[in-house]
Structure formats: C-alpha cells, structure tokens
Amino acid sequence: MNRRKFLGLGILAMAAIPATLSAIASIDFRATKPDAWKAKTVDAAVKALFGDIKPEDKGIKVKAPKVASNGGAVPVSIKSDLPLKTVAVFQNMDPESAVAVFNVPEDGIVDYFLKIKLKATDANGGNGVVTVIGEGKDGKFYKGTMSLQVAKGGCEG
C-alpha cells in the first residue's frame, strides 16, 4: 500500500469514529422526554422518563449529609457495581422533581458526585428524599434512596 492511500484511509477512519461514538453514546432526555422535567412528584417524573416500572430496591448507593446546611448545594454521591446504561436522579423538595439523567458509557463505572439544590425542610418536619433510578443493561430497573433534611435558610436564605 502506498503512503498516500494509507494516510487517506487513516484520516477517513478518524473522521468516522467520533460521529459513530456520539450517535451511540447519549440520549438527550430533555428533548425526548420533556414531561419528566415538568413533573411535580418523583413518581410522575419517573413515569414520564421510564414508563410504569417497578424498580428493585437494591444495587445503588446514595449518600448525602443527614442535615444539609446549605440547600443551594447539597452534595450527593451515587455508586453502583451493576451494569447500568442510564442513571436518573430525582428529589421531592423542589417544584420539579427530575434533577439529572446520565448515560453510562459501555463498561462505564457508576461513581458520580453532584451538588443539587433543595428547599429547606418544611414546618411539618418532612424530610427530603433523593431517589436514584438505574436502568440496567439487563432491562431491569434498580433504585437507591437517601433521606435528609435541609436546615432553615436552605437555598432560599
């Protein structure tokens, strides 16, 4: 094979790889599932995103402080050893329940950290709950939850 033909094939391959990866790697859930981002409850948001599912309560670990002093930036970590293709985060303290959806790359590791915004715990002492739903590569759904409180002042103060 001559040098020009070899270089030409190399450039063609390099141009084709990113287009293929971007087409496979992600789904734009804001564009394809807009009702999930307007849902006022966790159940409604989960249904709008995934349909009628019954997630197993196992395999996903959610950690957050028991009492968050700053509701404007509540640290949340998510870990799972399950082979997941999608991870979705929801909460019950703000008007819209959906927080984020992650597409897990092939052979990706689910070890995420994010900060979310939550209103202060209400006067009745109700706790906030962060719910994480994972869609497995096996077609099953898995769930992890964490209950917490946000100190007065929260993201509003």
Side-chain angles (χ1 to χ4, degrees):
M1 177 182 292
N2 70 30
R3 185 174 143 214
R4 286 185 185 171
K5 188 173 184 181
F6 176 77
L7 290 175
L9 289 174
I11 291 171
L12 179 64
M14 287 176 30
I17 289 172
T20 304
L21 290 177
S22 66
I24 294 172
S26 66
I27 298 169
D28 183 355
F29 286 98
R30 287 205 183 264
T32 60
K33 308 282 185 170
D35 291 343
W37 305 100
K38 298 173 191 168
K40 304 296 182 195
T41 66
V42 172
D43 289 340
V46 170
K47 185 174 182 177
L49 199 60
F50 298 117
D52 286 321
I53 61 166
K54 302 283 187 235
E56 296 179 38
D57 198 6
K58 67 175 192 177
I60 298 177
K61 296 175 188 141
V62 182
K63 287 188 180 180
K66 294 279 186 193
V67 178
S69 60
N70 179 4
V74 178
V76 177
S77 69
I78 303 161
K79 292 185 180 187
S80 180
D81 292 330
L82 298 170
L84 301 174
K85 62 181 181 179
T86 306
V87 175
V89 183
F90 306 92
Q91 54 74 36
N92 70 338
M93 294 295 284
D94 284 335
E96 287 83 23
S97 292
V99 175
V101 181
F102 301 97
N103 292 294
V104 181
E106 189 67 33
D107 297 326
I109 297 170
V110 177
D111 187 1
Y112 300 148
F113 176 82
L114 65 151
K115 290 187 178 184
I116 64 175
K117 184 176 177 180
L118 295 173
K119 287 186 177 179
T121 304
D122 63 21
N124 299 328
N127 287 343
V129 178
V130 176
T131 303
V132 177
I133 304 287
E135 181 180 4
K137 292 180 181 177
D138 59 2
K140 294 180 182 178
F141 290 88
Y142 303 91
K143 177 173 80 167
T145 59
M146 171 73 190
S147 180
L148 65 129
Q149 292 185 336
V150 178
K152 289 288 182 203
C155 64
E156 300 166 338

